[in-house]
Amino acid sequence: MTIASSSSQAGIIQRDSAWWQSAVGYQIYPASFADSNGDGIGDIPGIIAKLDHLADLGIGFIWLSPVYASPMVDNGYDISDYRAINPIFGTMADMDRLITEARARRIGIVMDLVVNHTSDQHPWFRAARADRGSPYRDYYIWRDQPPGKGTPADIEASFGGSAWSRDSKSGDWYFHLFAPQQPDLNWTNPALRAEVHAMMNWWLDKGVSGFRMDVIDLIGKQPENGIVADGPELHRYLREMHEATLAGRDAVTVGEAWSATPQNAPLYSAPDRHEVSMVFQFGHVTQFWDEKLGKWKPKPIDWPRLKSTFATWQGALHGTGWNSLFWGNHDLPRAVSRYGDEGKHRVASAKALATILHLMEGTPYIYQGEEIGMTNAGFTRIDQYRDVETLNFHRIQLAEGVDEAAFLAGARANSRDNARTPMQWSGAANAGFTQGTPWISVNANYPSLNVERDRADPDGVFQLYRRLIALRRDHAVIRHGDFRLLLPDHPALVAYQRRLGSETLLVIANMSRQAVNLPPSGISAIHGRDILTGRRVSMQPGGKFEPYETVAIWL
Ligand code: TEU
Ligand code: CA
């Protein structure tokens, strides 16, 4: 799939873009997107039925969260067969139809590649447990006793508890960075790596457009040395994988890398390194987590800090690599609830967030529902949650003496289930998501917040996203211009300039619930036509920005 770089106005430097540099990605979390058969769980035929919604939006590719065979301990991030579709999501024929139907709309399908670990029900792990002499034994990571307290190998799992669990069959301990039902693969084994490459080629030959690589920065781990992320062999494995699978193909790859920093990110995405197209980096997310209680005790958003993080990333990867741009995903709270205002200013703040993100350099990703400004779940009781991480930490933190109300407040802000409530398609029962009983509750606000309503509103969130996506396709300055942060210390105004050749784009947004004035210095008078709304903007220093008011004009 190749989208030629577009020509622009005279005087603009023309550059060739890879198709994924002008495209926008859209993440689908299948269980929560659209249910076609009334069992309460979203599925592949459901996705196919909604492809026109995505084609209208103008996206270039779908990142499809896992639909593979899985016992669903972690909603599909525990895979028991990489070449089979989970029957709750459909059949391989449905999957092939999804690839074809998407392609007919110029949309690529990007598969979630979860190869840091498998399910404990994967035949490899079953064989590994059953027989110490099996060739599959070494596909996993074993110890004959648990690590001593405080030794390097004494590592904590991401979902709580020790990363070592005893296998009742062989009596040994195996390593898992997530749930005990997600044993980590041993990437030092070349046979395992070859299996992964073969599987990737199998999917690429089927016509998928690339991969989102789950926790890929963990594959170089050395548990015995206490090394988990960013291990010494990580980049060698990624280059080897590229050579064996991606070389010569026009695919997009995005590696999830919680450990990525502005310093090491170019190691992944510099074109001459042949690893991945870009990484998902999380500096803008984790900077607002508590030092001790992490995501369960979030800090309020501090805009000067957040702006400076974005500016650092923009600078670090300009010309040296490539950025991904995102507010949310299936692990994170809803953008408008976390960074905007889900109440009175919901629509305006959702639009402001979209604008400031999409006009930066990089490939933007939209998480399902973000295009209509969907909000956090609003759950108040633990029995409303479904996520293994939330349920585990509820148990762990309460046992450690954390007050239940405090935990629930943290979960309400940051539980992964905030992003997993069903897509709100219409005001019909269950938001038009299912004819049955949804596996997780629909957000109560669906009668007023749904695709049907938002799309019908010319000033709604959807139409703004649509415009942003088209602008990126049409303007090289949005794809490749350099980035300069303005008013870095202003507590509410996010302001920056993009420049390429003679073209300069100015973006200013008031990210607060109060009206603010443009400061006397830093930005001179603004005159022009807003590229998003078409309205005339004319403002002097001192001029007023309403809450979440946003302007984007050519200078
Ligand atoms: O997420 C990696 C990951 O580290 C998150 O689980 C993270 O720890 C958490 O959201 C922060 O609290 C990836 C997938 O995106 C996630 O859905 C999976 O559960 C996880 O890997 C294991 O495959
Ligand atoms: Ca279904």
Side-chain angles (χ1 to χ4, degrees):
M1 191 171 135
T2 309
I3 298 164
S5 88
S6 59
S7 59
S8 232
Q9 296 143 20
I12 290 168
I13 298 167
Q14 303 270 327
R15 296 198 201 188
D16 280 328
S17 297
W19 67 268
W20 43 264
Q21 290 180 313
S22 49
V24 170
Y26 183 98
Q27 185 191 355
I28 291 183
Y29 195 67
S32 305
F33 193 63
D35 175 25
S36 71
N37 61 353
D39 66 356
I41 304 169
D43 46 50
I44 297 172
I47 297 171
I48 296 171
K50 299 296 186 185
L51 281 174
D52 286 333
H53 169 70
L54 302 179
D56 289 348
L57 189 54
I59 57 147
F61 62 97
I62 291 169
W63 152 24
L64 186 63
S65 274
V67 290
Y68 312 93
S70 163
M72 299 293 275
V73 169
D74 187 17
N75 278 356
Y77 284 89
D78 48 323
I79 297 171
S80 54
D81 185 346
Y82 291 106
R83 301 182 199 213
I85 300 296
N86 187 334
I88 65 170
F89 293 135
T91 63
M92 192 57 82
D94 293 328
M95 186 67 217
D96 289 334
R97 202 154 56 84
L98 173 61
I99 296 169
T100 312
E101 290 284 328
R103 178 171 292 255
R105 294 166 177 82
R106 297 173 60 77
I107 296 173
I109 299 291
V110 168
M111 296 299 276
D112 212 314
L113 184 76
V114 188
V115 291
N116 172 71
H117 45 269
T118 66
S119 161
D120 64 349
Q121 299 307 309
H122 194 289
W124 298 340
F125 193 69
R126 286 166 167 276
R129 298 175 69 179
D131 174 9
R132 280 205 180 91
S134 158
Y136 294 109
R137 180 78 175 178
D138 189 50
Y139 276 30
Y140 296 88
I141 301 167
W142 299 93
R143 261 183 153 259
D144 56 13
Q145 53 186 0
K149 278 268 160 284
T151 59
D154 182 22
I155 294 166
E156 203 188 312
S158 182
F159 294 159
S162 171
W164 296 96
S165 284
R166 184 148 195 256
D167 161 35
S168 53
K169 267 227 170 87
S170 68
D172 289 336
W173 276 259
Y174 66 93
F175 189 68
H176 57 86
L177 281 169
F178 295 92
Q181 298 90 337
Q182 294 168 294
D184 274 41
L185 287 164
N186 172 19
W187 275 74
T188 68
N189 183 331
L192 175 270
R193 301 204 300 275
E195 296 248 27
V196 170
H197 303 158
M199 177 270 283
M200 290 171 71
N201 280 321
W202 187 83
W203 279 103
L204 288 165
D205 291 345
K206 257 184 177 300
V208 305
S209 298
F211 297 100
R212 174 267 183 182
M213 304 177 177
D214 194 58
V215 288
I216 204 68
D217 60 336
L218 305 184
I219 61 173
K221 70 186 77 82
Q222 292 182 345
E224 294 303 331
N225 300 329
I227 297 173
V228 172
D230 203 18
E233 303 286 2
L234 167 64
H235 292 285
R236 183 167 76 83
Y237 296 155
L238 286 176
R239 280 198 297 278
E240 179 192 62
M241 173 191 280
H242 186 281
E243 180 60 34
T245 62
L246 301 157
R249 307 197 197 236
D250 198 12
V252 62
T253 48
V254 46
E256 187 197 24
W258 286 75
S259 70
T261 63
Q263 290 72 41
N264 72 22
L267 295 178
Y268 295 85
S269 62
D272 60 347
R273 287 183 54 91
H274 306 293
E275 295 191 12
V276 291
S277 313
M278 69 197 101
V279 290
F280 284 135
Q281 72 284 5
F282 294 88
H284 64 297
V285 173
T286 53
Q287 72 183 149
F288 301 115
W289 288 2
D290 185 65
E291 283 70 24
K292 210 169 128 264
L293 291 174
K295 65 189 282 181
W296 308 107
K297 202 177 164 211
K299 302 175 186 173
I301 301 301
D302 169 350
W303 280 97
R305 252 187 99 187
L306 185 53
K307 288 190 282 186
S308 131
T309 302
F310 278 124
T312 304
W313 279 93
Q314 288 286 294
L317 290 178
H318 181 65
T320 64
W322 191 251
N323 263 295
S324 68
L325 304 168
F326 65 97
W327 290 120
N329 65 30
H330 66 297
D331 294 333
L332 302 175
R334 291 283 177 180
V336 72
S337 302
R338 182 69 177 116
Y339 302 94
D341 173 3
E342 63 172 27
K344 183 170 166 211
H345 302 294
R346 184 183 65 81
V347 170
S349 66
K351 288 161 65 173
L353 286 165
T355 304
I356 59 177
L357 191 82
H358 280 244
L359 295 179
M360 289 196 276
E361 185 178 24
T363 298
Y365 290 79
I366 300 168
Y367 179 69
Q368 66 183 43
E370 185 185 318
E371 78 276 28
I372 56 166
M374 274 179 63
T375 62
N376 277 353
F379 293 159
T380 52
R381 301 186 322 266
I382 193 66
D383 66 11
Q384 294 173 295
Y385 289 95
R386 299 285 176 270
D387 178 30
V388 58
E389 182 189 55
T390 304
L391 300 178
N392 281 358
F393 278 99
H394 175 255
R395 192 169 21 80
I396 293 167
Q397 295 202 353
L398 262 55
E400 284 171 356
V402 171
D403 172 60
E404 172 151 51
F407 179 83
L408 287 174
R412 193 172 165 136
N414 254 342
S415 166
R416 307 197 298 182
D417 281 339
N418 282 306
R420 300 177 181 185
T421 64
M423 183 73 183
Q424 293 163 210
W425 292 105
S426 72
N430 292 314
F433 161 74
T434 180
Q435 309 272 16
T437 306
W439 68 278
I440 186 170
S441 304
V442 175
N443 192 308
N445 62 16
Y446 78 85
S448 60
L449 199 182
N450 59 63
V451 170
E452 209 172 270
R453 266 180 86 132
D454 185 84
R455 283 192 60 154
D457 178 358
D459 295 320
V461 184
F462 181 88
Q463 299 302 341
L464 189 271
Y465 268 96
R466 199 167 179 232
R467 182 101 185 90
L468 285 166
I469 293 171
L471 281 167
R472 166 170 302 275
R473 221 169 24 228
D474 293 345
H475 293 280
V477 62
I478 298 174
R479 295 192 299 276
H480 294 295
D482 59 24
F483 175 97
R484 188 154 77 91
L485 186 67
L486 306 172
L487 309 177
D489 302 320
H490 196 286
L493 289 176
V494 171
Y496 61 81
Q497 250 178 40
R498 302 290 311 283
R499 215 185 52 220
L500 185 68
S502 61
E503 205 169 34
T504 304
L505 176 64
L506 172 69
V507 181
I508 311 178
N510 173 9
M511 298 310 301
S512 77
R513 296 182 176 90
Q514 286 81 41
V516 300
N517 297 313
L518 198 59
S521 65
I523 296 177
S524 47
I526 309 165
H527 297 291
R529 198 173 283 286
D530 189 278
I531 63 171
L532 291 157
T533 58
R535 81 189 159 107
R536 282 231 140 263
V537 180
S538 187
M539 197 183 280
Q540 304 295 328
K544 188 163 111 181
F545 273 83
E546 297 299 337
Y548 297 102
E549 184 177 353
T550 308
V551 302
I553 61 168
W554 301 121
L555 286 188

PDB file of all heavy atoms in Angstrom, residues 74 77 114 117 158-159 178 182 212 214-215 256 258 289 295 330-331 389 416 420, ligand 1:
ATOM      1  N   ASP A  74      -5.851 -12.099  29.634  1.00  0.00           N
ATOM      2  CA  ASP A  74      -5.515 -10.688  29.462  1.00  0.00           C
ATOM      3  C   ASP A  74      -6.134 -10.201  28.141  1.00  0.00           C
ATOM      4  O   ASP A  74      -5.488  -9.519  27.343  1.00  0.00           O
ATOM      5  CB  ASP A  74      -3.985 -10.517  29.480  1.00  0.00           C
ATOM      6  CG  ASP A  74      -3.534  -9.065  29.473  1.00  0.00           C
ATOM      7  OD1 ASP A  74      -4.367  -8.177  29.781  1.00  0.00           O
ATOM      8  OD2 ASP A  74      -2.355  -8.811  29.152  1.00  0.00           O
ATOM      9  N   TYR A  77      -4.087 -10.781  24.947  1.00  0.00           N
ATOM     10  CA  TYR A  77      -2.626 -10.580  25.000  1.00  0.00           C
ATOM     11  C   TYR A  77      -1.947 -11.817  25.601  1.00  0.00           C
ATOM     12  O   TYR A  77      -0.804 -11.782  26.032  1.00  0.00           O
ATOM     13  CB  TYR A  77      -2.260  -9.292  25.746  1.00  0.00           C
ATOM     14  CG  TYR A  77      -2.517  -8.069  24.871  1.00  0.00           C
ATOM     15  CD1 TYR A  77      -3.757  -7.436  24.866  1.00  0.00           C
ATOM     16  CD2 TYR A  77      -1.540  -7.590  24.009  1.00  0.00           C
ATOM     17  CE1 TYR A  77      -4.009  -6.341  24.036  1.00  0.00           C
ATOM     18  CE2 TYR A  77      -1.779  -6.502  23.168  1.00  0.00           C
ATOM     19  CZ  TYR A  77      -3.002  -5.885  23.192  1.00  0.00           C
ATOM     20  OH  TYR A  77      -3.247  -4.818  22.362  1.00  0.00           O
ATOM     21  N   VAL A 114       2.343 -10.154  19.662  1.00  0.00           N
ATOM     22  CA  VAL A 114       2.587 -10.322  21.104  1.00  0.00           C
ATOM     23  C   VAL A 114       3.554 -11.483  21.280  1.00  0.00           C
ATOM     24  O   VAL A 114       3.149 -12.639  21.384  1.00  0.00           O
ATOM     25  CB  VAL A 114       1.267 -10.588  21.860  1.00  0.00           C
ATOM     26  CG1 VAL A 114       1.504 -10.555  23.372  1.00  0.00           C
ATOM     27  CG2 VAL A 114       0.209  -9.563  21.471  1.00  0.00           C
ATOM     28  N   HIS A 117       5.710 -12.933  25.223  1.00  0.00           N
ATOM     29  CA  HIS A 117       5.186 -14.062  25.988  1.00  0.00           C
ATOM     30  C   HIS A 117       4.111 -14.756  25.177  1.00  0.00           C
ATOM     31  O   HIS A 117       3.622 -14.193  24.191  1.00  0.00           O
ATOM     32  CB  HIS A 117       4.593 -13.580  27.325  1.00  0.00           C
ATOM     33  CG  HIS A 117       3.716 -12.350  27.159  1.00  0.00           C
ATOM     34  ND1 HIS A 117       4.212 -11.067  27.255  1.00  0.00           N
ATOM     35  CD2 HIS A 117       2.403 -12.204  26.857  1.00  0.00           C
ATOM     36  CE1 HIS A 117       3.241 -10.192  27.039  1.00  0.00           C
ATOM     37  NE2 HIS A 117       2.130 -10.856  26.796  1.00  0.00           N
ATOM     38  N   SER A 158       4.441  -7.160  36.152  1.00  0.00           N
ATOM     39  CA  SER A 158       3.713  -5.928  35.883  1.00  0.00           C
ATOM     40  C   SER A 158       2.284  -5.959  36.446  1.00  0.00           C
ATOM     41  O   SER A 158       1.728  -4.922  36.775  1.00  0.00           O
ATOM     42  CB  SER A 158       3.689  -5.730  34.363  1.00  0.00           C
ATOM     43  OG  SER A 158       3.055  -4.553  34.018  1.00  0.00           O
ATOM     44  N   PHE A 159       1.718  -7.148  36.562  1.00  0.00           N
ATOM     45  CA  PHE A 159       0.357  -7.246  37.107  1.00  0.00           C
ATOM     46  C   PHE A 159       0.382  -7.621  38.592  1.00  0.00           C
ATOM     47  O   PHE A 159      -0.601  -8.103  39.138  1.00  0.00           O
ATOM     48  CB  PHE A 159      -0.474  -8.275  36.324  1.00  0.00           C
ATOM     49  CG  PHE A 159      -0.731  -7.873  34.886  1.00  0.00           C
ATOM     50  CD1 PHE A 159      -1.068  -8.842  33.939  1.00  0.00           C
ATOM     51  CD2 PHE A 159      -0.666  -6.545  34.472  1.00  0.00           C
ATOM     52  CE1 PHE A 159      -1.322  -8.484  32.622  1.00  0.00           C
ATOM     53  CE2 PHE A 159      -0.913  -6.184  33.154  1.00  0.00           C
ATOM     54  CZ  PHE A 159      -1.235  -7.149  32.219  1.00  0.00           C
ATOM     55  N   PHE A 178       4.127 -10.600  33.083  1.00  0.00           N
ATOM     56  CA  PHE A 178       2.726 -10.190  33.238  1.00  0.00           C
ATOM     57  C   PHE A 178       2.022 -11.240  34.099  1.00  0.00           C
ATOM     58  O   PHE A 178       2.569 -11.609  35.125  1.00  0.00           O
ATOM     59  CB  PHE A 178       2.106  -9.930  31.849  1.00  0.00           C
ATOM     60  CG  PHE A 178       2.797  -8.749  31.182  1.00  0.00           C
ATOM     61  CD1 PHE A 178       3.898  -8.930  30.341  1.00  0.00           C
ATOM     62  CD2 PHE A 178       2.411  -7.449  31.477  1.00  0.00           C
ATOM     63  CE1 PHE A 178       4.587  -7.840  29.807  1.00  0.00           C
ATOM     64  CE2 PHE A 178       3.091  -6.354  30.949  1.00  0.00           C
ATOM     65  CZ  PHE A 178       4.175  -6.552  30.110  1.00  0.00           C
ATOM     66  N   GLN A 182       0.909 -15.972  31.406  1.00  0.00           N
ATOM     67  CA  GLN A 182       1.608 -15.383  30.255  1.00  0.00           C
ATOM     68  C   GLN A 182       3.121 -15.604  30.385  1.00  0.00           C
ATOM     69  O   GLN A 182       3.881 -14.661  30.599  1.00  0.00           O
ATOM     70  CB  GLN A 182       1.309 -13.869  30.173  1.00  0.00           C
ATOM     71  CG  GLN A 182      -0.153 -13.547  29.858  1.00  0.00           C
ATOM     72  CD  GLN A 182      -0.491 -12.075  30.055  1.00  0.00           C
ATOM     73  OE1 GLN A 182      -0.452 -11.571  31.186  1.00  0.00           O
ATOM     74  NE2 GLN A 182      -0.831 -11.372  28.992  1.00  0.00           N
ATOM     75  N   ARG A 212       2.030  -3.943  15.227  1.00  0.00           N
ATOM     76  CA  ARG A 212       2.268  -3.197  16.448  1.00  0.00           C
ATOM     77  C   ARG A 212       2.874  -4.248  17.369  1.00  0.00           C
ATOM     78  O   ARG A 212       2.312  -5.316  17.575  1.00  0.00           O
ATOM     79  CB  ARG A 212       0.955  -2.654  17.003  1.00  0.00           C
ATOM     80  CG  ARG A 212       1.062  -1.975  18.374  1.00  0.00           C
ATOM     81  CD  ARG A 212       0.789  -2.939  19.506  1.00  0.00           C
ATOM     82  NE  ARG A 212       0.814  -2.292  20.818  1.00  0.00           N
ATOM     83  CZ  ARG A 212       0.653  -2.917  21.967  1.00  0.00           C
ATOM     84  NH1 ARG A 212       0.450  -4.218  21.988  1.00  0.00           N
ATOM     85  NH2 ARG A 212       0.685  -2.264  23.092  1.00  0.00           N
ATOM     86  N   ASP A 214       3.911  -5.646  20.756  1.00  0.00           N
ATOM     87  CA  ASP A 214       3.645  -5.550  22.192  1.00  0.00           C
ATOM     88  C   ASP A 214       4.947  -5.601  23.006  1.00  0.00           C
ATOM     89  O   ASP A 214       5.792  -6.476  22.765  1.00  0.00           O
ATOM     90  CB  ASP A 214       2.741  -6.734  22.583  1.00  0.00           C
ATOM     91  CG  ASP A 214       2.115  -6.587  23.952  1.00  0.00           C
ATOM     92  OD1 ASP A 214       1.413  -5.591  24.174  1.00  0.00           O
ATOM     93  OD2 ASP A 214       2.331  -7.482  24.796  1.00  0.00           O
ATOM     94  N   VAL A 215       5.070  -4.707  23.973  1.00  0.00           N
ATOM     95  CA  VAL A 215       6.238  -4.638  24.889  1.00  0.00           C
ATOM     96  C   VAL A 215       7.540  -5.134  24.266  1.00  0.00           C
ATOM     97  O   VAL A 215       8.270  -5.934  24.851  1.00  0.00           O
ATOM     98  CB  VAL A 215       5.982  -5.363  26.240  1.00  0.00           C
ATOM     99  CG1 VAL A 215       4.995  -4.557  27.080  1.00  0.00           C
ATOM    100  CG2 VAL A 215       5.477  -6.785  26.061  1.00  0.00           C
ATOM    101  N   GLU A 256       5.942  -1.098  20.955  1.00  0.00           N
ATOM    102  CA  GLU A 256       5.579  -0.533  22.255  1.00  0.00           C
ATOM    103  C   GLU A 256       6.811  -0.575  23.155  1.00  0.00           C
ATOM    104  O   GLU A 256       7.370  -1.639  23.401  1.00  0.00           O
ATOM    105  CB  GLU A 256       4.442  -1.338  22.894  1.00  0.00           C
ATOM    106  CG  GLU A 256       3.917  -0.699  24.174  1.00  0.00           C
ATOM    107  CD  GLU A 256       3.102  -1.656  25.038  1.00  0.00           C
ATOM    108  OE1 GLU A 256       3.280  -2.887  24.937  1.00  0.00           O
ATOM    109  OE2 GLU A 256       2.291  -1.173  25.845  1.00  0.00           O
ATOM    110  N   TRP A 258       7.936   1.091  26.694  1.00  0.00           N
ATOM    111  CA  TRP A 258       7.755   1.948  27.877  1.00  0.00           C
ATOM    112  C   TRP A 258       9.098   2.509  28.330  1.00  0.00           C
ATOM    113  O   TRP A 258       9.151   3.533  29.008  1.00  0.00           O
ATOM    114  CB  TRP A 258       7.075   1.156  29.005  1.00  0.00           C
ATOM    115  CG  TRP A 258       5.618   0.914  28.753  1.00  0.00           C
ATOM    116  CD1 TRP A 258       5.084   0.008  27.878  1.00  0.00           C
ATOM    117  CD2 TRP A 258       4.501   1.593  29.348  1.00  0.00           C
ATOM    118  NE1 TRP A 258       3.702   0.082  27.909  1.00  0.00           N
ATOM    119  CE2 TRP A 258       3.325   1.039  28.809  1.00  0.00           C
ATOM    120  CE3 TRP A 258       4.390   2.609  30.308  1.00  0.00           C
ATOM    121  CZ2 TRP A 258       2.051   1.468  29.174  1.00  0.00           C
ATOM    122  CZ3 TRP A 258       3.110   3.029  30.680  1.00  0.00           C
ATOM    123  CH2 TRP A 258       1.952   2.470  30.117  1.00  0.00           C
ATOM    124  N   TRP A 289       2.399   9.917  36.980  1.00  0.00           N
ATOM    125  CA  TRP A 289       2.082   8.827  37.905  1.00  0.00           C
ATOM    126  C   TRP A 289       2.854   9.036  39.208  1.00  0.00           C
ATOM    127  O   TRP A 289       3.935   9.620  39.216  1.00  0.00           O
ATOM    128  CB  TRP A 289       2.496   7.471  37.309  1.00  0.00           C
ATOM    129  CG  TRP A 289       1.624   6.998  36.180  1.00  0.00           C
ATOM    130  CD1 TRP A 289       0.566   7.659  35.625  1.00  0.00           C
ATOM    131  CD2 TRP A 289       1.774   5.764  35.462  1.00  0.00           C
ATOM    132  NE1 TRP A 289       0.043   6.904  34.593  1.00  0.00           N
ATOM    133  CE2 TRP A 289       0.763   5.730  34.475  1.00  0.00           C
ATOM    134  CE3 TRP A 289       2.647   4.675  35.557  1.00  0.00           C
ATOM    135  CZ2 TRP A 289       0.605   4.671  33.593  1.00  0.00           C
ATOM    136  CZ3 TRP A 289       2.489   3.615  34.675  1.00  0.00           C
ATOM    137  CH2 TRP A 289       1.469   3.614  33.703  1.00  0.00           C
ATOM    138  N   LYS A 295       0.285   4.322  38.597  1.00  0.00           N
ATOM    139  CA  LYS A 295      -0.916   4.809  37.927  1.00  0.00           C
ATOM    140  C   LYS A 295      -2.126   4.893  38.856  1.00  0.00           C
ATOM    141  O   LYS A 295      -3.086   5.596  38.564  1.00  0.00           O
ATOM    142  CB  LYS A 295      -1.241   3.913  36.741  1.00  0.00           C
ATOM    143  CG  LYS A 295      -1.607   2.492  37.142  1.00  0.00           C
ATOM    144  CD  LYS A 295      -1.712   1.583  35.938  1.00  0.00           C
ATOM    145  CE  LYS A 295      -3.015   1.776  35.208  1.00  0.00           C
ATOM    146  NZ  LYS A 295      -3.114   0.870  34.044  1.00  0.00           N
ATOM    147  N   HIS A 330      -5.764   1.142  24.630  1.00  0.00           N
ATOM    148  CA  HIS A 330      -6.599   0.259  25.443  1.00  0.00           C
ATOM    149  C   HIS A 330      -6.068   0.067  26.861  1.00  0.00           C
ATOM    150  O   HIS A 330      -6.693  -0.622  27.659  1.00  0.00           O
ATOM    151  CB  HIS A 330      -6.698  -1.092  24.738  1.00  0.00           C
ATOM    152  CG  HIS A 330      -5.366  -1.792  24.690  1.00  0.00           C
ATOM    153  ND1 HIS A 330      -4.287  -1.261  24.008  1.00  0.00           N
ATOM    154  CD2 HIS A 330      -4.919  -2.934  25.271  1.00  0.00           C
ATOM    155  CE1 HIS A 330      -3.245  -2.062  24.162  1.00  0.00           C
ATOM    156  NE2 HIS A 330      -3.602  -3.081  24.922  1.00  0.00           N
ATOM    157  N   ASP A 331      -4.888   0.608  27.161  1.00  0.00           N
ATOM    158  CA  ASP A 331      -4.321   0.511  28.507  1.00  0.00           C
ATOM    159  C   ASP A 331      -4.438   1.823  29.281  1.00  0.00           C
ATOM    160  O   ASP A 331      -4.058   1.874  30.453  1.00  0.00           O
ATOM    161  CB  ASP A 331      -2.815   0.173  28.430  1.00  0.00           C
ATOM    162  CG  ASP A 331      -2.524  -1.213  27.870  1.00  0.00           C
ATOM    163  OD1 ASP A 331      -3.386  -2.106  28.009  1.00  0.00           O
ATOM    164  OD2 ASP A 331      -1.427  -1.391  27.299  1.00  0.00           O
ATOM    165  N   GLU A 389      -5.386  -6.582  35.510  1.00  0.00           N
ATOM    166  CA  GLU A 389      -4.469  -5.685  36.239  1.00  0.00           C
ATOM    167  C   GLU A 389      -5.205  -4.967  37.380  1.00  0.00           C
ATOM    168  O   GLU A 389      -4.746  -4.927  38.523  1.00  0.00           O
ATOM    169  CB  GLU A 389      -3.867  -4.652  35.276  1.00  0.00           C
ATOM    170  CG  GLU A 389      -2.866  -3.733  35.954  1.00  0.00           C
ATOM    171  CD  GLU A 389      -2.421  -2.566  35.083  1.00  0.00           C
ATOM    172  OE1 GLU A 389      -3.285  -1.804  34.601  1.00  0.00           O
ATOM    173  OE2 GLU A 389      -1.213  -2.404  34.883  1.00  0.00           O
ATOM    174  N   ARG A 416      -7.399   0.394  33.156  1.00  0.00           N
ATOM    175  CA  ARG A 416      -7.431   0.122  31.719  1.00  0.00           C
ATOM    176  C   ARG A 416      -8.869  -0.040  31.204  1.00  0.00           C
ATOM    177  O   ARG A 416      -9.133   0.155  30.019  1.00  0.00           O
ATOM    178  CB  ARG A 416      -6.600  -1.128  31.407  1.00  0.00           C
ATOM    179  CG  ARG A 416      -5.176  -1.022  31.976  1.00  0.00           C
ATOM    180  CD  ARG A 416      -4.227  -2.005  31.359  1.00  0.00           C
ATOM    181  NE  ARG A 416      -4.594  -3.411  31.585  1.00  0.00           N
ATOM    182  CZ  ARG A 416      -3.860  -4.424  31.142  1.00  0.00           C
ATOM    183  NH1 ARG A 416      -2.745  -4.200  30.465  1.00  0.00           N
ATOM    184  NH2 ARG A 416      -4.228  -5.672  31.382  1.00  0.00           N
ATOM    185  N   ARG A 420     -12.117   0.534  27.748  1.00  0.00           N
ATOM    186  CA  ARG A 420     -12.621  -0.728  27.214  1.00  0.00           C
ATOM    187  C   ARG A 420     -14.139  -0.835  27.253  1.00  0.00           C
ATOM    188  O   ARG A 420     -14.704  -1.877  26.915  1.00  0.00           O
ATOM    189  CB  ARG A 420     -11.961  -1.894  27.965  1.00  0.00           C
ATOM    190  CG  ARG A 420     -10.441  -1.870  27.793  1.00  0.00           C
ATOM    191  CD  ARG A 420      -9.716  -2.957  28.557  1.00  0.00           C
ATOM    192  NE  ARG A 420      -8.259  -2.833  28.350  1.00  0.00           N
ATOM    193  CZ  ARG A 420      -7.351  -3.688  28.798  1.00  0.00           C
ATOM    194  NH1 ARG A 420      -7.737  -4.755  29.490  1.00  0.00           N
ATOM    195  NH2 ARG A 420      -6.067  -3.502  28.567  1.00  0.00           N
TER     196      ARG A 420
HETATM  197  O1  TEU B   1       1.099  -3.462  27.736  1.00  0.00           O
HETATM  198  C1  TEU B   1       2.312  -3.368  28.392  1.00  0.00           C
HETATM  199  C2  TEU B   1       2.237  -2.864  29.715  1.00  0.00           C
HETATM  200  O2  TEU B   1       3.292  -2.779  30.303  1.00  0.00           O
HETATM  201  C3  TEU B   1       0.929  -2.452  30.294  1.00  0.00           C
HETATM  202  O3  TEU B   1       0.242  -3.553  30.731  1.00  0.00           O
HETATM  203  C4  TEU B   1       1.206  -1.547  31.394  1.00  0.00           C
HETATM  204  O4  TEU B   1       1.968  -2.193  32.340  1.00  0.00           O
HETATM  205  C5  TEU B   1      -0.008  -1.077  32.075  1.00  0.00           C
HETATM  206  O5  TEU B   1      -0.970  -0.650  31.193  1.00  0.00           O
HETATM  207  C6  TEU B   1       0.353   0.076  32.910  1.00  0.00           C
HETATM  208  O6  TEU B   1      -0.325   0.001  34.072  1.00  0.00           O
HETATM  209  C7  TEU B   1       0.976  -4.393  26.725  1.00  0.00           C
HETATM  210  C8  TEU B   1      -0.455  -4.396  26.240  1.00  0.00           C
HETATM  211  O7  TEU B   1      -0.741  -3.160  25.660  1.00  0.00           O
HETATM  212  C9  TEU B   1      -1.341  -4.739  27.389  1.00  0.00           C
HETATM  213  O8  TEU B   1      -2.703  -4.657  27.070  1.00  0.00           O
HETATM  214  C10 TEU B   1      -0.986  -6.136  27.824  1.00  0.00           C
HETATM  215  O9  TEU B   1      -1.711  -6.467  28.971  1.00  0.00           O
HETATM  216  C11 TEU B   1       0.494  -6.275  28.120  1.00  0.00           C
HETATM  217  O10 TEU B   1       1.322  -5.687  27.137  1.00  0.00           O
HETATM  218  C12 TEU B   1       0.873  -7.735  28.161  1.00  0.00           C
HETATM  219  O11 TEU B   1       0.783  -8.273  26.883  1.00  0.00           O
END
